[in-house]
Amino acid sequence: METQLKYALGEQDFSLLRKEGCVYIDKTRYLHKIATDGAKYYFLARPRRFGKSLFLSTLQYFFEGRRELFKGLYVDSTDWKWDSYPVLRLDLNTDKYAGTGQLEGVLDNLFRRWEEKYDVDVKDNSFSQRFKTIIEAAHRKTGKEVVVLVDEYDKPLVGNINKKATLEYYRTKLASLYSNFKSSAEHLKLVFLTGVSRFSKLSIFSDLNNLVDITFSDEYADICGITEQELHDNLKSGIENIAVKNKISFERVCRLLKSNYDGYRFSEEGSDIYNPWSILNALRFSKIENYWNDTGTPTLVAEVLKKANVDLENTFDAYCSRDDLLGLDLLDPNPRALLYQAGYLTIKSYNKKVRKFRLGIPNKEVKDGFYRVLVPFYLRYRQSETKTIISDMVTHFILGEAEYAMKCLKSYFAGVDYALKIESENNFHNAFFLLMDIIGLDTTAESHTSEGRIDITIKTEDYIYIIELKYDHSAREALEQIEDRHYARPFQCDGRHLILIGCSFSSKTRCIDDWLIKE
């Protein structure tokens, strides 16, 4: 019999989640740690849809002393006294901030409620001064220090990186507002800020020299998101439902969930993390789809990459120091840092010798979504045409229709923008591999045999493609190399149909010139 868990998709209020009996992955050990560690100022950066808002909501009810909501959770078994503190939750995720003026509206709505609650007589129109007065009034009226929670502190900045005047307007406004965290320190119990990025040149990070940034902390690596252990401990029945509905094994479902939604990592020694939004949607609907991509598009990221003339072949697999990823210059964002902080790259490993992180794309869902938005910025096609070309190419490869697949591939390279340089055989190989890999085909580059190295191997459920790429040489030479060096021999017992393709690329036309196919 099917077991149906109740999933709180999009629910960011901890109280409603608990009262309605929804699935909750217990993260309350972090509440107790934050409350008892002695630090006053915390900052956490995570990509969108990773549970930051829910965590802040959990912090809110915890500091308000709502113990009944935490029954059965870790923190309920601790010696926490459950005193009630005044909590000011500043949620900046409620507007798009496409122009100037929206921030004032968001703040005024919040401040009016707090001013009424804490008996504030408004005498100053300055939002910074109003915030300071509210903090002091809350402390005075309750006799308890104030907890300030800032949700998406950087939202007005993120959407305006390419709008210099608007960006500077919001930077100035936010810097003035956040300056109260230092000047009102005696009235504060805790300040916890979340966002997708730690923006440099925003005074909050220079003024608060005792700010604890837990973004890269091993201790807090899985404060948001779902670990492998948490998935199986809390959501096993949801995995079983997918297996039953799709008539596949439990083990196969686990592999599909892992390849599509796992792979995030946020510290040197941290575990791999599943995207909570995607995994809960997949379990709720018993279907593997690209859920995270539907919550926003990386148009801003794509614009920055193209503007900076970024070498894509070397961007998706790169080494970066912690300092490279820690701050983001508002006026000149580092593309790799931007990709990391937006969730399109993540930590894959850490090399202690050089003290650098190795970055990579987290999973198949991110590859697919990012690619679908990125490609139109580099192709001279409309987005709808690009999607059609890519979709048709994948379909033909899956169906074993190599001739049609290669025609689609030629159309793809014909649309590559001149800003994306393919000036050598190595660049052509990398661009070809990147295309195949990022759209989800099982692709291997430079695989070794006893007689040489196969340029590209693509595997589908029924076919194996062995592709030799030549730059300013004939397709016949490429196909003859596959045959002369017996590249197909390692796959002859595989059971899948082998298709050999020799492909040539012309530096003059900057396009695929010819190909030969042998089955």
Side-chain angles (χ1 to χ4, degrees):
M1 182 178 178
E2 180 180 306
T3 302
Q4 186 62 57
L5 298 173
K6 193 171 183 180
Y7 301 100
L9 299 179
E11 181 55 69
Q12 300 174 349
D13 189 292
F14 177 72
S15 174
L16 292 176
L17 183 151
R18 294 291 285 170
K19 289 176 180 178
E20 294 177 7
C22 297
V23 173
Y24 174 70
I25 307 298
D26 190 354
K27 302 286 187 179
T28 62
R29 66 189 183 277
Y30 294 117
L31 306 181
H32 189 258
K33 184 174 178 60
I34 288 166
T36 58
D37 264 2
K40 181 173 288 189
Y41 304 102
Y42 285 89
F43 173 72
L44 172 70
R46 286 292 185 269
R48 59 184 168 84
R49 290 294 186 178
F50 245 84
K52 300 188 297 295
S53 296
L54 177 59
F55 184 76
L56 282 192
S57 176
T58 310
L59 265 176
Q60 175 183 341
Y61 291 111
F62 172 73
F63 277 105
E64 287 178 347
R66 300 283 300 277
R67 186 172 187 174
E68 74 278 6
L69 297 175
F70 295 86
K71 185 178 179 179
L73 299 179
Y74 170 87
V75 75
D76 190 39
S77 64
T78 68
D79 58 358
W80 182 250
K81 297 186 184 303
W82 295 97
D83 291 336
S84 178
Y85 294 87
V87 179
L88 304 177
R89 185 174 174 189
L90 191 61
D91 186 358
L92 298 187
N93 201 29
T94 58
D95 211 325
K96 294 183 178 180
Y97 308 100
T100 59
Q102 287 95 328
L103 178 62
E104 288 85 346
V106 171
L107 295 178
D108 191 53
N109 287 334
L110 286 170
F111 289 3
R112 283 177 183 274
R113 294 202 300 270
W114 293 337
E115 286 161 347
E116 182 178 350
K117 182 175 181 179
Y118 297 113
D119 303 325
V120 174
D121 183 16
V122 182
K123 296 179 179 179
D124 197 313
N125 291 326
S126 161
F127 284 99
S128 178
Q129 184 59 47
R130 285 174 68 184
F131 193 31
K132 181 180 179 66
T133 303
I134 289 168
I135 292 171
E136 293 173 355
H139 188 190
R140 182 173 57 252
K141 183 173 182 178
T142 64
K144 293 283 189 179
E145 294 170 313
V146 179
V147 173
V148 179
L149 308 175
V150 185
D151 197 355
E152 303 290 2
Y153 91 100
D154 54 356
K155 182 67 179 292
L157 305 175
V158 170
N160 290 291
I161 288 181
N162 289 330
K163 302 174 184 176
K164 188 173 181 179
T166 308
L167 181 67
E168 179 58 24
Y169 171 84
Y170 280 123
R171 189 202 67 78
T172 302
K173 293 288 184 181
L174 291 176
S176 176
L177 187 71
Y178 297 149
S179 67
N180 287 294
F181 299 148
K182 183 176 182 179
S183 62
S184 301
E186 63 184 297
H187 303 288
L188 296 170
K189 168 73 174 176
L190 177 80
V191 175
F192 197 107
L193 302 98
T194 71
V196 298
S197 174
R198 176 169 172 163
F199 283 105
S200 58
K201 298 182 181 178
L202 188 63
S203 60
I204 181 173
F205 295 112
S206 56
D207 288 349
L208 297 178
N209 53 18
N210 53 349
L211 177 74
V212 179
D213 186 344
I214 61 175
T215 300
F216 293 95
S217 169
D218 286 327
E219 293 180 285
Y220 293 95
D222 58 340
I223 190 171
C224 294
I226 299 174
T227 66
E228 187 87 31
Q229 190 67 49
E230 289 170 337
L231 174 65
H232 289 278
D233 286 348
N234 296 273
L235 302 165
K236 184 178 179 181
S237 64
I239 301 174
E240 292 170 341
N241 291 342
I242 295 180
V244 171
K245 287 189 176 181
N246 293 276
K247 298 179 181 180
I248 57 178
S249 69
F250 179 89
E251 292 73 21
R252 174 119 189 255
V253 176
C254 291
R255 290 195 297 271
L256 287 171
L257 293 175
K258 191 172 186 66
S259 64
N260 278 274
Y261 310 127
D262 194 19
Y264 291 93
R265 180 173 160 187
F266 300 107
S267 71
E268 295 177 17
E269 304 294 335
S271 304
D272 277 3
I273 302 291
Y274 286 82
N275 182 318
W277 172 256
S278 299
I279 199 75
L280 292 178
N281 270 279
L283 297 177
R284 167 64 180 83
F285 298 108
S286 296
K287 194 172 184 181
I288 309 294
E289 294 285 356
N290 293 338
Y291 297 103
W292 187 64
N293 299 322
D294 293 336
T295 67
T297 59
T299 304
L300 168 65
V301 177
E303 288 174 348
V304 171
L305 291 178
K306 189 171 183 183
K307 182 179 179 181
N309 195 23
V310 172
D311 179 2
L312 290 179
E313 294 85 52
N314 295 314
T315 297
F316 298 122
D317 183 5
Y319 283 99
C320 284
S321 69
R322 186 177 183 276
D323 289 342
D324 290 335
L325 301 178
L326 190 60
L328 200 63
D329 189 326
L330 291 167
L331 298 178
D332 185 22
N334 178 306
R336 287 175 183 166
L338 182 62
L339 285 168
Y340 172 80
Q341 294 174 1
Y344 298 101
L345 290 179
T346 194
I347 295 168
K348 289 299 182 181
S349 62
Y350 180 74
N351 190 305
K352 292 183 179 180
K353 290 183 179 179
V354 295
R355 295 196 295 178
K356 287 188 175 182
F357 297 111
R358 186 164 193 170
L359 305 182
I361 297 175
N363 52 50
K364 184 179 181 298
E365 178 184 47
V366 176
K367 282 183 181 180
D368 183 67
F370 186 45
Y371 180 79
R372 290 177 188 278
V373 175
L374 182 63
V375 165
F377 279 82
Y378 286 99
L379 298 186
R380 295 188 293 272
Y381 298 119
R382 294 190 299 272
Q383 186 168 349
S384 60
E385 292 174 325
T386 302
K387 288 182 177 179
T388 300
I389 291 171
I390 300 304
S391 176
D392 288 349
M393 179 171 56
V394 172
T395 299
H396 291 312
F397 272 121
I398 291 173
L399 296 177
E401 299 170 347
E403 182 68 26
Y404 294 104
M406 293 303 294
K407 287 181 179 178
C408 291
L409 192 61
K410 181 175 182 176
S411 294
Y412 164 80
F413 276 103
V416 172
D417 195 288
Y418 286 101
L420 183 62
K421 300 175 182 178
I422 303 179
E423 297 177 337
S424 68
E425 184 171 0
N426 184 57
N427 279 352
F428 173 49
H429 287 198
N430 288 339
F432 194 107
F433 170 73
L434 179 65
L435 169 64
M436 296 298 104
D437 184 55
I438 207 168
I439 61 177
L441 293 175
D442 183 358
T443 307
T444 306
E446 300 288 345
S447 56
H448 290 258
T449 73
S450 59
E451 298 185 60
R453 292 182 299 179
I454 304 172
D455 280 345
I456 300 288
T457 306
I458 300 173
K459 297 178 182 179
T460 69
E461 187 173 347
D462 300 309
Y463 299 92
I464 295 178
Y465 297 88
I466 298 173
I467 303 175
E468 181 66 24
L469 308 172
K470 291 295 181 185
Y471 190 82
D472 286 337
H473 290 277
S474 71
R476 181 162 298 281
E477 288 179 72
L479 186 60
E480 287 176 351
Q481 182 171 323
I482 296 174
E483 295 179 307
D484 292 346
R485 299 188 183 182
H486 307 293
Y487 288 164
R489 186 174 291 168
F491 308 101
Q492 287 176 345
C493 296
D494 183 279
R496 282 174 282 191
H497 190 70
L498 287 170
I499 299 178
L500 315 181
I501 302 176
C503 177
S504 67
F505 185 91
S506 170
S507 61
K508 293 181 180 179
T509 63
R510 294 171 49 84
C511 189
I512 290 177
D513 189 45
D514 191 17
W515 62 84
L516 289 174
I517 299 170
K518 184 174 181 179
E519 301 189 29

